[in-house]
Amino acid sequence: MENKRIIAIVAGGDSSEHDVSLRSAEGIYSFMNKDKYNCYIVEIKGMSWQARLADGTKTPVDRNDFSWQTPAGRIHPDYAYITIHGTPGENGIIQGYFDLIHLPYSTSDVLVESMTFDKYVLNNYLRAQGVSVADSVLLRRGDDYDAQALLRQLGLPCFVKPAADGSSFGVSKVKALSDLKPALELAFKESNEVMIESFLQGTEISQGVYKTRKTSVVLPATEVVTSNEFFDYNAKYNGQVQEITPARLSPATSEAVARETSRIYDILHANGIIRVDYIISHDAAGDHINMLEINTTPGMTTTSFIPQQVRAAGLDMGDVLSQIIENQF
């Protein structure tokens, strides 16, 4: 079966999660059905685009048509599986390039990618669609601000996070007025826009979903339990966290979260696998589902949430990837 589709697994990127993205690419490469697909990892960093060949050597990618040379001839991929965390893979930039050269890809389109990448824009868009999100304020680099007025509006504790950055870098939990300035300085190192967001107390969960013409699959949610102040970089990548799949939610709440995840996917008209993060807050009236953020190129190492959730659902990761790829042919 040598007329296999050629899949470029596009990884790397220019954010602080470059190396994490390469680990996701290795994960995706290992999951791919090699009977169906010939796979190559393409590493992007700035203007250096290189395809990794079977012998481990790298060869430059021609950006005119996203092709590269191998000893057996020139490779023209049929499909790009994008697993860049952060820019340019999670904010619409690489999607625009692939649209221009008419190469199908695994993520949502330019608009959805750029909107989900900007947490402030996303929250306000989804709030208008009836999705519950935390109150927030946007600051741009150089803006004047009144720290006391901000904290009166949003309360303490609150979170300061880069508004447009795909990672957990630059996020701080602010517990006192004196914490605000250093938190803003840290966040502005990652992004020109920073969001200050009111704190929601509750259970943090994360849920994957993908849809094709034939299927709609909401995966079991993962509960995130960390002794850290919040699910920060160390919790996410250095194991300082307990992840429980499926999450310990009541059947009614579990169903309600799955419905909301599916609805958000449809509102965005998303493509491929996305992951929606929530805080489930609790009061006398019951559980409340608050959306935190959306990840459109979720981590894909064997221990990442999505592969965990796929296993918990009794599905095979290779089959899931094939469904997503074949949906566009």
Side-chain angles (χ1 to χ4, degrees), residues 4-8 37-40 68 75-80:
K4 298 179 189 176
R5 289 200 209 286
I6 298 169
I7 310 297
Y37 306 119
N38 283 328
C39 301
Y40 294 85
W68 55 88
I75 298 292
H76 293 270
D78 299 300
Y79 186 91

Side-chain angles (χ1 to χ4, degrees), residues 39-58:
C39 301
Y40 294 85
I41 291 174
V42 173
E43 182 177 350
I44 287 177
K45 187 161 181 69
M47 295 302 276
S48 167
W49 295 25
Q50 295 187 305
R52 199 182 298 172
L53 303 182
D55 63 3
T57 61
K58 293 177 180 177

